[in-house]
Structure formats: C-alpha cells, structure tokens
Amino acid sequence: MIIAMMGWGLVWPLSKFMSEALNPEQASFTRFVLVSASFLPIMLYYKISFKIPKCALLPTCLTGIFCAMYNYLMYVGLQYGSAGSAGVIAEVLPLIIAAFLWSFIRKNRLLKREKWGLLLGVISGAFLINIFDDIHAFFTPFNSIYLLAAVCWAFLMISSRYASEHISAVTLSFYSSCITTCSLSSSFFFYGIDDFLKVDWKFWLATSIAALFCTTFSTTIYYRGLHLLGVTQGGVYALLVPIFALGFSWILLAEIPQWHTIIGGIIAIFAIYLINYFNPKHFTKSSKHSS
C-alpha cells in the first residue's frame, strides 16, 4: 500500500515534465491510452466482468466525464505552478469537499468531529492557496484551476461511490479511463499530430511510468488493499500521497516546498482523518489494554 501511495505521489512531478514536453490535452490523452490498455490484462487475469448494469450506466459515465475534466485541469494547471503544491491541493481538498457533499446529498446531520473537520478544511484551503500573504491569491490561474479540479474530483468520488455499488472498482477505473481517453482525443483536431511525433524517449519513459506504475498498478493495489484491510485502515494510507507528492517534486524537480503548503497540507490531513477515520473508541480500547 505504501508503494502504491508512492506511485500516486510520483505522478505529479512526472506529469509536470509531460506537460512541458507536450500540450496538456495530448499529454493526458497519451497517459490514459496506456492506462486503458493496461487494465485489460488485469481484468482478464482476475476474471473481472466488463458488464455494466443499467443502474450503473449513469454514474459510470459521470465518473468518466469528471475524470476527463479533472485530468485536463491537472495538466493545464501544472503550467502555472509547482507540481508539489498542485499535488497537495488536488489530493487533500477533494476528500474534504466530497465528505460534506455526500452528507448533504444523503441529508445526514454532521457529527461534531465532522464540523471541526470542515472548519479545519477551510483553514487548510486558506493556507494552501496562500491567501494570508495575498488576498487576491484565490484568483490566480494556478489556484483557480486546482480548486476547480478539487471540486471535479469530489464529484467523481461521489459518482464512483454510486457506480461501485454495482460494478467492480477496477471495471469502473477501466471505463473511466476509456471515457477520459475518448474525451481528450479531440485535441488532435486542434493541435495536429506534429508535436506528438516529435516527443523524445524521456517523455515516453515518464508517460509509461505515470500510466503503468502510478495509475494502473497503484490503483489496483489500493483497491486490493481496501478489500483486505477494510475501508478505514486501508483508506488511511491515502493520507501519505501529498507527502510523497512534495517529496518526489523536491527530488526530481528541485521544488522547495513552501511553508504555507506544508502547514496547509498538515492541517488538511488532520481534517481528513477527523472526518473519515477518527474513532474515540480506538483510544478507549488502547487505554484499557495499556492498563
């Protein structure tokens, strides 16, 4: 699971390199062509059904559309800022947004810890976009794009939750990758194919790692881990992703993590833990065993 989360963090500096070598739409398209193709042998080996029930068609399509929108914004946004900061914003804020959108949709009353989590989420967002140093930071292209990307990913999480009630998570990932590929293929009508044919082996190496290891392998291992460990224990590992995103961006791109990104990320991780995983009974049991 830790290796899988390393993959999700590594995709940010690799995507930064890809977006500098090729236009964002075609860079993302290339990655998801490989992702879609690589899911096929996994589904065949594990005998995972390709069938989508009628009740899952709409949420599956919506998941694919939100995935395409998110990845388009992801690659466009990397042109305006650092991969590490983008990775923290895009990895932590969607979890907070989705938690409260889900509560609103299900008309569930927020628990006290969830209200504290929401407050911390707002505070973390203020740090992540650095609104304390510049009140206009909210409107910079980088922050605006990734806040919109965070909302897209939050809606993706909700639609995928509905879809995964009826189909395998791997099947859902396969179809959402296919929809993303088809959606981004139109970029060749606007940009042509000349730039695509000029990319060197470094681009293909970065794309292959981003697709096969960071996406297909890491996603498959993550869902497998959730099945074996449970949602609570397995889901906690996702909190490592922003740390790896900052770390790999520092190592590969020499991006020095900014103080407001680190503080905002720490607060956001705690907010996510508070909303999704915190259980006072764990501490009660621990104290009993220790006594």
Side-chain angles (χ1 to χ4, degrees):
M1 285 289 281
I2 293 176
I3 294 175
M5 297 305 96
M6 289 176 65
W8 280 0
L10 178 61
V11 77
W12 288 98
L14 292 178
S15 296
K16 175 76 172 180
F17 174 80
M18 291 165 59
S19 64
E20 292 175 347
L22 190 62
N23 65 77
E25 297 89 341
Q26 291 181 341
S28 184
F29 166 84
T30 308
R31 173 187 165 195
F32 277 91
V33 165
L34 295 178
V35 170
S36 301
S38 61
F39 268 121
L40 286 171
I42 293 173
M43 295 178 69
L44 292 173
Y45 178 80
Y46 287 105
K47 297 180 180 179
I48 300 172
S49 175
F50 287 87
K51 186 178 179 180
I52 305 178
K54 289 183 179 180
C55 56
L57 274 176
L58 180 59
T60 300
C61 291
L62 287 175
T63 300
I65 293 170
F66 287 129
C67 183
M69 293 171 62
Y70 170 82
N71 281 280
Y72 169 75
L73 292 169
M74 170 184 173
Y75 280 85
V76 170
L78 286 171
Q79 298 178 320
Y80 297 97
S82 66
S85 297
V88 174
I89 295 173
E91 294 291 349
V92 298
L93 290 187
L95 296 171
I96 298 171
I97 296 171
F100 291 96
L101 284 176
W102 182 250
S103 296
F104 177 77
I105 292 171
R106 299 299 295 268
K107 298 180 179 179
N108 293 334
R109 185 176 180 180
L110 296 177
L111 301 175
K112 186 176 181 179
R113 61 178 176 82
E114 292 174 329
K115 292 177 181 178
W116 279 107
L118 176 59
L119 177 61
L120 290 174
V122 173
I123 295 173
S124 72
F127 273 103
L128 289 172
I129 65 177
N130 199 21
I131 203 170
F132 298 109
D133 283 349
D134 182 8
I135 193 65
H136 301 293
F138 185 87
F139 301 102
T140 62
F142 179 80
N143 287 330
S144 298
I145 288 171
Y146 278 104
L147 286 173
L148 183 58
V151 173
C152 287
W153 194 257
F155 278 108
L156 179 148
M157 293 175 70
I158 293 171
S159 62
S160 65
R161 184 164 182 169
Y162 281 109
S164 58
E165 291 177 357
H166 307 283
I167 62 174
S168 163
V170 175
T171 303
L172 178 62
S173 297
F174 168 71
Y175 282 114
S176 64
S177 298
C178 290
I179 293 172
T180 300
T181 302
C182 293
S183 301
L184 296 171
S185 63
S186 60
S187 61
F188 286 92
F189 292 102
F190 298 99
Y191 296 103
I193 199 171
D194 293 340
D195 292 339
F196 181 78
L197 296 176
K198 292 178 183 177
V199 295
D200 59 14
W201 65 271
K202 295 179 182 178
F203 171 83
W204 287 108
L205 177 61
T207 303
S208 298
I209 296 173
L212 303 180
F213 171 66
C214 299
T215 307
T216 306
F217 171 80
S218 295
T219 300
T220 303
I221 293 298
Y222 179 70
Y223 286 134
R224 188 69 177 167
L226 288 182
H227 176 72
L228 295 174
L229 300 175
V231 174
T232 301
Q233 290 184 338
V236 171
Y237 284 92
L239 301 180
L240 297 173
V241 177
I243 299 172
F244 286 129
L246 282 175
F248 282 122
S249 297
W250 185 20
I251 295 170
L252 298 177
L253 302 177
E255 293 181 356
I256 306 299
Q258 299 180 352
W259 68 269
H260 62 84
T261 302
I262 296 173
I263 294 175
I266 292 172
I267 296 173
I269 289 172
F270 182 70
I272 295 167
Y273 176 78
L274 201 61
I275 295 166
N276 293 315
Y277 308 115
F278 177 74
N279 188 349
K281 293 181 181 179
H282 293 168
F283 298 96
T284 304
K285 290 178 181 178
S286 302
S287 60
K288 287 181 179 179
H289 287 307
S290 61
S291 59

